[in-house]
Amino acid sequence: MKTSINLKPTIFVIFGGTGDLNMRKLAPALYNLYADGFMPKKFAIIGTARKKLNDQKFQDTIKEGINSFSRSGKVKDDKWASFAANVYYNPVDVSEPETFGVLKTSIEKHKAEFGADTQVVYYLAVAPNLFPLIAQCLATYDLTGDEESVRIVIEKPFGRDLETAKELNALLTGIFTEKQIYRIDHYLGKETVQNIMAFRFANSFLEPLWNRTYIDHIQISVTEQLGVGDRGGYYDGSGALRDMIQNHLLQLLCLIGMETPVNFDADEIRNKKVDVLKAMRPFSSDDIRMSTVRGQYAKGWVEGKEVPGYRHETGVDPDSNTETFAAIKFFVDNWRWQGIPFYVRTGKRLFQTSSLITIQFKDVPHHIFPSAVTEHWQQNRLIISIQPEMSIRLQVQGKRPGLDMVLNPVDMVFDYKGTYTSAAPEAYETLLLDVMTGDQTQFMRADQVEIAWELLMPVVKSWESKKSLSFPNYTADSWGPEDAEALIARDGFHWFTLPLNKD
Ligand code: BG6
């Protein structure tokens, strides 16, 4: 159980303090942690960016961010006043490294006030090209400390391919120790994602079934209704494979595929995840042709409004070859999963926003019920709904009440809404608290990031080198390109979705 009692005094330095991530996620998360009593008794938040602001202006800016984006709504005046008293601003510009000297003075001042056990967290919420420059400036100004006193949080994307990820790892590990580096993947902080481990490893009935003997395939589907919005400039150099599959979706796959850890130690858990990545079947050029599908959205209508095609979004090359949809069939070549396909898909401007993991079990070995009573026969499925619905469903066959024997599928549902009254924290709240307590379990280790890139590099290279002649190949508000249906239909399955629940 985490409580503020054990937290050391903390100085939280946010690079990119005036940016979108701080406004939407970090500041609301820190404020909510504070409001719920999870911030250290002594803390300082120092925003940094190139803009010249004073503390008051910065406080006003993040207040606006919190009021617009916090899960708990607008700030409460008294809470805000005591929180804001710990919020400062310090202009920093990597092209003027001496500004780090000013930052150092400010950090030293807080340290002197807080005491010798003060820890410093640097959060790099900036464009990836600034990661190395900031890390180097921190080193030059002797701000890197040691494992006990300093941590650095790196946002994604961590590299844009294997080579750049390796370079960044080499640079960071040359300045910090691995224990100081927190590579964030916000999916791992989601409540429902964390529950996958609890569900798998705290319940005895699942383990005997969790293998190739009883499971016939697995689907991981993260679909988004939104387009790229104002992130076209970033996204066009990235695409669905880099933006979602290399990190979020492969992490989900690891949680489903991993062996049982010996204990809850961060490295033990990460070792087990790395084992899954190591066992994943490398892609041959035939596999790329047969087991991967890419897509790009065309214009269409979403909730009565016409939306532009990807190539007409701001910041996007009008002839772009970037995929906004990707579907891939993976295999994990080990004893547990040999021969069992893991179908993964993600995309923007799709029909529904939903993140679902579906585990489909094999059929019963022999049907004793006549086909007339089993019209809607369906193999058992376990559906982990990460968002927006937060639930775990087990789909089973049951007898419909009545004088006749008629079977139909029914859902046994564990729904967060109906089960718990407390609101789930945002992923960033969980992860920022983990950083402050020094828990690396939900963060990516250097080898994890590299091996995920290594696995995907043949697909990245093939898609980059061969321009898709069919783009755009799906309409906004659809389920993506037809080839993605064919990818899974060839094996006798179809993509699973939950009925739309608009409440
Ligand atoms: C981010 C991607 O990491 O995750 C975005 O860069 C994507 O493109 C987002 O929209 C999805 O996160 P969530 O939490 O909204 O599912």
Side-chain angles (χ1 to χ4, degrees), residues 64-266:
E64 238 181 270
I66 299 169
N67 281 342
S68 313
F69 301 110
S70 164
R71 68 170 168 85
S72 57
K74 294 201 168 164
V75 297
K76 307 224 169 18
D77 287 344
D78 53 335
K79 277 271 176 251
W80 169 253
S82 54
F83 176 79
N86 303 288
V87 176
Y88 307 87
Y89 186 77
N90 208 126
V92 165
D93 188 338
V94 282
S95 63
E96 295 168 26
E98 59 285 1
T99 51
F100 279 79
V102 185
L103 175 66
K104 184 172 182 169
T105 312
S106 163
I107 292 174
E108 296 300 339
K109 191 186 104 216
H110 291 295
K111 268 191 183 167
E113 192 189 314
F114 291 170
D117 61 343
T118 303
Q119 54 184 12
V120 183
V121 174
Y122 301 114
Y123 199 114
L124 272 53
V126 291
N129 61 322
L130 296 177
F131 298 160
L133 297 173
I134 293 175
Q136 276 157 340
C137 285
L138 292 173
T140 309
Y141 281 83
D142 196 18
L143 283 163
T144 52
D146 57 28
E147 284 174 14
E148 289 307 311
S149 62
V150 171
R151 292 172 199 141
I152 182 165
V153 186
I154 310 283
E155 262 295 332
K156 67 174 273 271
F158 197 93
R160 68 180 314 276
D161 51 27
L162 177 60
E163 202 183 323
T164 49
K166 277 186 168 167
E167 277 167 22
L168 184 55
N169 270 334
L171 182 126
L172 290 173
T173 51
I175 296 174
F176 299 93
T177 66
E178 182 62 33
K179 278 220 153 47
Q180 293 180 282
I181 306 171
Y182 287 67
R183 298 173 191 80
I184 205 161
D185 180 329
H186 79 281
Y187 262 63
L188 295 180
K190 288 183 190 275
E191 199 53 52
T192 33
V193 172
Q194 293 191 72
N195 199 26
I196 297 174
M197 287 234 292
F199 190 62
R200 277 199 60 196
F201 302 128
N203 296 300
S204 61
F205 76 97
L206 274 177
E207 177 53 22
L209 307 177
W210 207 258
N211 54 52
R212 61 192 298 276
T213 313
Y214 291 99
I215 291 176
D216 82 346
H217 78 278
I218 290 168
Q219 299 181 18
I220 301 176
S221 167
V222 176
T223 58
E224 294 181 279
Q225 213 177 22
L226 288 175
V228 290
D230 53 14
R231 295 170 74 227
Y234 149 75
Y235 194 89
D236 210 33
S238 172
L241 205 54
R242 290 186 166 102
D243 185 49
M244 296 293 286
I245 295 197
Q246 189 273 342
N247 36 72
H248 307 324
L249 278 90
L250 280 181
Q251 282 303 306
L252 295 179
L253 192 153
C254 285
L255 285 166
I256 297 297
M258 71 198 272
E259 295 301 315
T260 315
V262 174
N263 54 33
F264 207 61
D265 174 73

Side-chain angles (χ1 to χ4, degrees), residues 332-405:
V332 180
D333 286 335
N334 61 16
W335 275 37
R336 191 184 284 271
W337 298 117
Q338 186 54 239
I340 305 303
F342 285 71
Y343 302 95
V344 161
R345 74 169 171 179
T346 186
K348 296 205 183 282
R349 276 280 179 251
L350 296 177
F351 180 66
Q352 193 176 323
T353 294
S354 137
S355 301
L356 284 187
I357 301 176
T358 305
I359 289 111
Q360 177 153 314
F361 291 90
K362 290 195 167 151
D363 205 356
V364 293
H366 169 63
H367 285 236
I368 64 162
F369 299 99
S371 54
V373 308
T374 58
E375 261 175 34
H376 303 290
W377 186 263
Q378 188 179 282
Q379 288 162 234
N380 295 141
R381 283 188 197 134
L382 181 75
I383 301 144
I384 302 172
S385 178
I386 294 166
Q387 60 188 27
E389 180 182 302
M390 296 168 71
S391 67
I392 299 181
R393 292 163 182 265
L394 185 60
Q395 296 195 321
V396 296
Q397 299 291 330
K399 179 189 173 300
R400 203 162 62 196
L403 297 177
D404 295 334
M405 172 62 87

